[in-house]
Amino acid sequence: MIRLNQHNSTPPVGINVMPLVDVIFILLIFFLLTSHVQQGLVLDLPAVKTSETVTQQYWMVSITAEDQLQFNGIDIEKTALKKLLLMAQKKVKSRRLIVLNMDKHATVDTLVFVMDTVRQIGLYNLVISTETAAETEVINDQ
């Protein structure tokens, strides 16, 4: 008896995705190596003309012109800020807003220190206190 090889002349149906995966992998590596990651704090800074009044409960952190810190009106050392915020957070179960009241002559180093300390303990609701344009005009007229 004679055996005949019966081959199917139609190629298998399907798309070879291996070259596509290779290209996507190479592009991913390229973008990861060429991207620049900047570290920083993301803040939603209110503009002076569009500032809003804070209506929810908050903790006030003030920075004086001499870079001294105050927590809710009480003078504190820089090293005590983290401990005070942690204690206040344990006392109040809800997340509170932190209002940063900063003198215009204070240094940016102190501002960044306060913002970093606030974020280290897991608080991200930070606003910077400003004066509205009307308040500034009244002060300048006197």
Side-chain angles (χ1 to χ4, degrees), residues 38-88:
Q38 286 186 327
Q39 293 182 351
L41 302 174
V42 178
L43 294 176
D44 187 14
L45 299 176
V48 176
K49 292 183 180 180
T50 60
S51 62
E52 299 175 9
T53 303
V54 175
T55 58
Q56 68 187 51
Q57 296 290 328
Y58 62 89
W59 293 310
M60 176 72 76
V61 177
S62 301
I63 304 172
T64 65
E66 297 80 26
D67 290 329
Q68 297 296 318
L69 294 181
Q70 291 183 345
F71 181 74
N72 288 340
I74 300 169
D75 290 331
I76 61 169
E77 296 293 326
K78 282 185 178 181
T79 56
L81 179 63
K82 186 174 184 177
K83 184 177 179 181
L84 281 172
L85 287 172
L86 284 170
M87 289 184 345

Side-chain angles (χ1 to χ4, degrees), residues 4 26 39 51 53 77 81 92 110 113 121 135:
L4 297 174
I26 289 171
Q39 293 182 351
S51 62
T53 303
E77 296 293 326
L81 179 63
V92 178
T110 307
F113 169 80
I121 62 170
E135 290 172 344

